[in-house]
Amino acid sequence: MTTDSKSEWRRLLLRRRRSLTHGQRQQQGRAMAAHLLEQVLPQLDTDGLVAGYVALAAEPDLARHLQGKVAMALPAVRQGRLRLRRWSWGDPLAPDDCGVPAPPEPAPAVAPDAVALLLIPAVAMDPDGFRLGYGGGWYDRLLSRPAWARRPNLGVCFSCCAAVPFPVDSWDRPLHGQLTEAGVHWWRHPPVAPT
């Protein structure tokens, strides 16, 4: 496709993602969780939280596949700011200011140094580590804060939406790597825990 419109790319790639069957998405999500548990988390500060997300719009459902295996935090947008809040499988969720299920207050917000890994949902990833999201800019604003930018992060998408040459804007923040069902690819080396 030859267009400079992110919204057109987003529409095309969401359609591509929705073309996967429920069974394919579940199988590929399990493969992604296995890559995290076997390859990524052993290299990082495993005492820290994994900041995930609630799967929407046919996204990989990593929270379900990681349940009981890692301590988690989920994003919540409140009063114009994305914060990560501690969450355990089965804890209540309520719509945040964007209507996305999120841990309600008084679930504690977590500091960047409490997070071992940020898993950031992506409609698509480009060949240089930039993420195409849903257009709200919440993760770009989070990653513009130095303490969060230093946390290891992976864009999460299916392989059918990886390495897509969509347009990138000046405010877009590159990620350290990407996670697909095929594995993990790092563009930038994230900080690792000392051995």
Side-chain angles (χ1 to χ4, degrees), residues 35-46 50 70 116-117:
H35 294 310
L36 281 175
L37 294 168
E38 295 166 11
Q39 299 170 18
V40 178
L41 293 177
Q43 299 174 34
L44 301 175
D45 174 10
T46 53
V50 172
V70 297
L117 178 66

Side-chain angles (χ1 to χ4, degrees), residues 8 10-20:
E8 287 182 41
R10 191 175 292 113
R11 203 169 19 259
L12 168 78
L13 293 161
L14 285 170
R15 191 169 40 242
R16 184 181 293 175
R17 183 167 77 187
R18 283 190 300 267
S19 73
L20 297 171

Side-chain angles (χ1 to χ4, degrees), residues 81-83 140-150:
R81 191 165 186 184
L82 185 149
R83 288 183 176 85
D140 290 317
R141 284 191 290 280
L142 181 76
L143 294 175
S144 71
R145 296 171 12 218
W148 283 109
R150 287 190 295 271

Side-chain angles (χ1 to χ4, degrees), residues 78-117:
R78 303 260 188 249
Q79 300 174 341
R81 191 165 186 184
L82 185 149
R83 288 183 176 85
L84 295 163
R85 297 191 176 281
R86 190 175 288 274
W87 180 79
S88 295
W89 190 261
D91 284 355
L93 296 170
D96 67 5
D97 291 352
C98 294
V100 175
E105 294 179 359
V110 298
D113 61 358
V115 174
L117 178 66

